[in-house]
Amino acid sequence: MDISKDIIERAARGEIPAFEEIYKSSSGFVYNVALRISASEHEASEITQDVFVKLFSGLKSFNHKSSFNTWLYRVAVNEALNRRKKSNLENSRRAEFDESVEANPALREDPVGKSVNENIDKDKVAELLSLVNEEHRVVLVLREMQGLNYEEMSRVLGININTVRTRLKRAREILIKKVKENGMQ
Amino acid sequence: MECNKARELMLSDYMDGMLNKETSGEVEKHIASCQSCAGYYRSAVSAFVPFRKSRALGVPPAVWEGIRGRLAAVPEDEQAFNIKSMFEIFHSKWANAAVFTSMLLLTLFAGTYFAENMASSANSRLRQAPEEFASNIGFSEFEDMPGDQSKNVFSIIGG
Ligand SMILES: [Zn+2]
């Protein structure tokens, strides 16, 4: 269910109770989308916080032209992808650091940060999603888990419906192939 | 229907229930008659079972607490305060009256200030004038000068 214009306007004026109402009705999907894209409960919590903190100051620019949830999905997906990009960058830096630690025993005393993926969900869906790339993971999450239709996905992702269809078909194709290859069936 | 077309539809519109009766009937007819595609369809369906079974996780309560804390830390001007809400403050009747009164007082004050300033600068010009006149113009012309100073000048020159 979409949030009423009145609640959005009140929250845009800085009314915390109105903002909390928005949070209560939409934090669930923001968190779950973030969780499935990031594959980490810790990351999902941080992404959800970032999304809502940004939302609080960005609410006044919401023009009611698109559905509020569509808009929120878009912010959540982008935030999750941006975080992944950052994490991947950090991971590759960490890998470089690990290599340098290997090469230089004097550095071994330094604490090496824990991998951001340490909290990866151990469930079957997380396992399946880990088999595909980010672009495909996003369409699978939005379609298979959030139940968005092609048109909604097109609006969330800012791509045309045909691209949604093609991307989703490709994502499923790859997933089926990888499931077979990994003997997961 | 060809295998390629059947599989393409199987993994998109057919799976998502977006085909019309006629086309979805064609896909089903193909699956029924093609062993390879029937096997493919079964693996497709079973691959996505976990997605359909999975439940959404609840958001940890610490998330809202974190947001609340961060909102409190956001500086006032970055919070959801905007020009519109500022105008809404001024929409009240009393606020409008206050704005009108202060503008009126400002105008009156400015008017008085300028009037006084003009007068005093005019006076200072007059105060300097006799000496300049005395050195630059003829004696007889001072007869028309108003005020005490012209008399003084007269008396100095005359004395
Ligand atoms: Zn076939």
Side-chain angles (χ1 to χ4, degrees), chain A residues 45-55 79 83, chain B residues 70:
Chain A
S45 292
E46 294 210 333
I47 292 164
T48 308
Q49 282 195 14
D50 287 352
V51 167
F52 280 92
V53 169
K54 277 186 184 169
L55 182 68
E79 195 65 33
R83 270 214 174 227
Chain B
R70 281 169 67 181

Side-chain angles (χ1 to χ4, degrees), chain B residues 1-4 6-7 30 34-38:
Chain B
M1 189 177 272
E2 299 272 314
C3 290
N4 277 350
R7 290 188 187 196
H30 182 86
C34 174
Q35 230 180 357
S36 165
C37 285

Side-chain angles (χ1 to χ4, degrees), chain A residues 12-13 16 20 23 31-32 35 49-50 52 56 60 125 143-145 150 165 169 172 175-176 185, chain B residues 8 11-13 16 18 43-44 46 48 50 52 54 57 59 63-64 66-68 70-71 80 82:
Chain A
R13 286 197 294 266
I16 299 292
E20 192 172 2
Y23 175 82
Y31 178 77
N32 279 278
L35 179 68
Q49 282 195 14
D50 287 352
F52 280 92
F56 187 67
K60 55 181 174 283
V125 170
R143 175 68 204 136
E144 304 291 346
M145 313 201 70
Y150 293 1
R165 180 184 285 106
K169 192 210 91 185
R172 285 168 169 161
L175 191 75
I176 293 164
Q185 259 181 334
Chain B
E8 186 200 317
L11 296 185
S12 54
D13 303 65
D16 296 313
M18 286 172 66
S43 47
S46 74
F48 290 98
R52 276 150 206 166
S54 89
L57 291 187
V59 189
V63 174
W64 173 247
I67 293 167
R68 201 64 192 83
R70 281 169 67 181
L71 290 188
N82 54 29

Side-chain angles (χ1 to χ4, degrees), chain B residues 44-99:
Chain B
V45 170
S46 74
F48 290 98
V49 167
F51 285 98
R52 276 150 206 166
K53 276 189 183 167
S54 89
R55 284 181 306 117
L57 291 187
V59 189
V63 174
W64 173 247
E65 286 156 29
I67 293 167
R68 201 64 192 83
R70 281 169 67 181
L71 290 188
V74 173
E76 283 290 320
D77 57 337
E78 280 179 33
Q79 282 193 18
F81 175 81
N82 54 29
I83 300 291
K84 197 175 148 234
S85 65
M86 199 171 84
F87 277 112
E88 272 161 13
I89 293 167
F90 285 109
H91 271 162
S92 93
K93 197 167 69 182
W94 291 109
N96 277 343
V99 170

